[in-house]
Amino acid sequence: MMALECDKSKCLYCGACVGSCPVEALTLYSSWIEVDHDTCTECGICVTLCPVGAMTLGGGSE
Amino acid sequence: MRHEVDVLVIGAGPGGSMSAKFAAENGADVLMIEKRQEVGSPVRCGEGIAELWLNDLGIKPDKRWIANQVDGARLFSPSGHCLTMDAARAGSETGFVVERDIFDRTLASEAVLAGSDLWVRAMAMGAKVEGDTVKEVVVDRLGERITVVPKVVIAADGFESRAASWVGLDSRLKLKDIDSCIQYRMVGIDDDARYNDFYAGSDAPGGYVWVFSKGEGVANVGIGVAASKLKAPADVKMYLDRFIAKHPEFAKGKAVDMVAGAVSTSLPMDQTVKGNFMLVGDSARMVDALTGGGVVNACMAGKIAGRLSAEYVQGSDVLGDYERAWRSELENTMVRNYVAKEKAVNVTDEQFDRIVLALQELEITTITTAEILGAVAKAVPDLVAELDLMF
């Protein structure tokens, strides 16, 4: 499994990924993004959509 | 802890603040909550606003948040042809480039002065819903869990809204109806502070580049790209950096900040009120699909939602009127501009060049999308037919 991760050193907390998530797996707090891994389908939309490339599908092998 | 209020407004952006202000002014006991510690920060906006709409909203232009007043706008085609729309010369209303953080704080202050309470660093975590009625909203305020018991909930919680799903409304977007955006505040550039500039074409696939001047060599240089056209992480930033590198007048300057965000370029949601719950602004997908502008629509809808919520708590069953009321103000333009956007994403660079060249022959003096789309229909009727454009 590839788990979605938000790189805190890049993230601007703009919420672009959150509103674009087709399964509503992301939540924007004041200064962090929460990923609900049970809901996330690892579709990768947020990975290409993030303006600064903060979202990655990594953390494990396929 | 439990906290009873007449009206709970979620989000202290322009839509939330207008809702809170009009609810409080009309006699309701209002609480507005904002997840950030500072209203208006970080900015997620190009910061261009039309003067015309501010007048309609009763928002008095204030030098505290106006960075620059422009005379008009310019539209640049991919080959560099320029259409100048000089509203000031024609005596029409023009536009402002604003400082959104100060603008937002000013509107929030007006809401508070009208009697609303404001909690910052207060996030709505979830709701207890019975039937169509939101009975309670759980709020995290600086780590303390507070159960807010509202008579009405107005959710103005922005592009990243999660509130709609509490009552079973679907605010999810299709990829083709999202633009991803990034912007630098640049200093030391050569630009013309009399105009807000727009660049169409493949420099910004499915979107556009904007240069909104704050005067004295300072401008917001930003880009929106259709999410469906993005292929790799940080493509949006790559497109903006490439645009700046191609233009020596901008490349000579430096960025002093970076803001990002996304906007919906969809139709508004089919349903924006249910039981005692209303959606306002970006959370209801009220952004103009062609321009990406959302402030004005959010303020218009907020004004209506605020007034109706106050009438509701005083005993009139009027919340259902919200749907018809905001749509009669905004929906025709939103639908027309959505149709235009659906076509514009497929216009080629050569076609953009032709459109701008043809528009140069016409005098456009009011900078509204209606006037510009009307001029396009007049200037290139064959192309309009070919693209099946219907404005």
Side-chain angles (χ1 to χ4, degrees):
Chain A
M1 285 293 286
M2 312 264 282
L4 183 69
E5 283 176 15
C6 171
D7 181 343
K8 289 187 176 69
S9 63
K10 289 183 181 173
C11 181
L12 303 177
Y13 309 105
C14 74
C17 57
V18 176
S20 306
C21 176
V23 293
E24 304 190 328
L26 302 169
T27 306
L28 174 64
Y29 291 87
S30 52
S31 54
W32 73 96
I33 302 274
E34 188 178 83
V35 183
D36 177 351
H37 291 286
D38 293 335
T39 308
C40 175
T41 62
E42 286 125 33
C43 69
I45 283 175
C46 59
V47 176
T48 44
L49 186 133
C50 173
V52 293
M55 303 302 279
T56 52
L57 278 169
S61 55
E62 282 181 63
Chain B
M1 185 183 141
R2 286 171 74 82
H3 186 89
E4 290 186 17
V5 290
D6 287 341
V7 181
L8 173 67
V9 178
I10 303 170
S17 287
M18 289 294 273
S19 303
K21 179 185 168 185
F22 279 83
E25 271 182 359
N26 287 286
D29 171 28
V30 184
L31 169 64
M32 177 161 64
I33 61 171
E34 167 56 47
K35 67 175 171 284
R36 316 264 196 190
Q37 63 268 40
E38 274 187 285
V39 171
S41 296
V43 170
R44 296 180 289 178
C45 181
E47 302 184 302
I49 295 186
E51 185 183 0
L52 177 77
W53 292 112
L54 287 178
N55 295 342
D56 278 4
L57 286 162
I59 298 173
K60 244 180 89 186
D62 184 331
K63 64 177 189 312
R64 284 176 300 176
W65 47 258
I66 295 173
N68 183 27
Q69 181 164 17
V70 294
D71 290 343
R74 295 185 300 189
L75 176 61
F76 290 89
S77 78
S79 298
H81 303 299
C82 171
L83 170 71
T84 303
M85 296 167 276
D86 201 326
R89 205 179 55 205
S92 305
E93 283 163 308
T94 60
F96 296 114
V97 181
V98 304
E99 304 290 355
R100 258 299 295 279
D101 48 350
I102 305 174
F103 179 81
D104 284 19
R105 269 175 242 158
T106 304
L107 292 190
S109 299
E110 284 181 15
V112 168
L113 290 172
S116 170
D117 283 334
L118 169 62
W119 293 353
V120 295
R121 200 75 185 216
M123 168 108 178
M125 307 298 289
K128 188 170 132 193
V129 179
E130 285 173 15
D132 285 345
T133 305
V134 180
K135 294 280 189 190
E136 297 175 358
V137 176
V138 178
V139 175
D140 184 301
R141 185 190 191 190
L142 279 167
E144 185 187 359
R145 288 284 163 135
I146 301 168
T147 302
V148 176
V149 185
K151 296 194 176 91
V152 182
V153 174
I154 298 176
D157 53 337
F159 178 75
E160 68 271 20
S161 173
R162 282 286 168 269
S165 61
W166 297 344
V167 294
L169 296 177
D170 189 0
S171 62
R172 288 174 300 172
L173 293 161
K174 297 192 180 85
L175 199 57
K176 72 173 186 67
D177 290 335
I178 301 168
D179 270 26
S180 184
C181 308
I182 193 161
Q183 168 185 281
Y184 305 136
R185 179 189 298 237
M186 296 195 72
V187 302
I189 63 169
D190 275 338
D191 74 332
D192 190 333
R194 292 174 302 169
Y195 300 104
N196 277 343
D197 292 338
F198 299 84
Y199 296 78
S202 56
D203 283 337
Y208 62 86
V209 172
W210 62 86
V211 179
F212 291 172
S213 181
K214 297 198 167 185
E216 297 177 359
V218 181
N220 287 339
V221 182
I223 192 169
V225 179
S228 53
K229 309 269 186 188
L230 297 168
K231 295 190 169 61
D235 258 2
V236 180
K237 186 173 180 300
M238 179 275 292
Y239 278 114
L240 181 60
D241 291 339
R242 199 156 76 182
F243 172 86
I244 291 168
K246 255 173 60 179
H247 291 259
E249 67 274 30
F250 306 132
K252 66 183 286 213
K254 285 179 179 158
V256 292
D257 76 13
M258 171 166 61
V259 304
V263 290
S264 56
T265 59
S266 63
L267 288 167
M269 284 169 63
D270 291 335
Q271 189 181 353
T272 60
V273 56
K274 194 172 181 184
N276 65 341
F277 177 91
M278 288 180 279
L279 281 168
V280 165
D282 289 19
S283 63
R285 310 313 180 199
M286 291 179 183
V287 172
D288 185 299
L290 190 60
T291 65
V295 173
V296 167
N297 290 358
C299 287
M300 295 269 223
K303 201 172 152 178
I304 296 165
R307 183 176 49 77
L308 290 174
S309 66
E311 288 176 26
Y312 175 82
V313 297
Q314 281 145 28
S316 314
D317 187 16
V318 291
L319 290 192
D321 295 353
Y322 175 62
E323 205 75 73
R324 184 193 46 76
W326 78 258
R327 285 181 200 278
S328 73
E329 296 258 1
L330 303 173
E331 196 169 40
N332 284 348
T333 301
M334 292 177 73
V335 171
R336 187 201 61 214
N337 286 1
Y338 174 76
V339 173
K341 163 250 158 176
E342 287 286 278
K343 305 298 179 184
V345 293
N346 297 317
V347 172
T348 65
D349 281 0
E350 293 70 30
Q351 287 168 331
F352 270 126
D353 283 330
R354 243 197 87 200
I355 289 170
V356 169
L357 277 172
L359 287 176
Q360 286 174 345
E361 305 300 313
L362 303 171
E363 198 181 2
I364 300 174
T365 53
T366 59
I367 302 162
T368 62
T369 49
E371 169 109 3
I372 295 164
L373 293 173
V376 171
K378 214 192 286 181
V380 284
D382 59 315
L383 191 56
V384 166
E386 185 189 322
L387 293 164
D388 191 24
L389 292 170
M390 289 191 312
F391 302 140

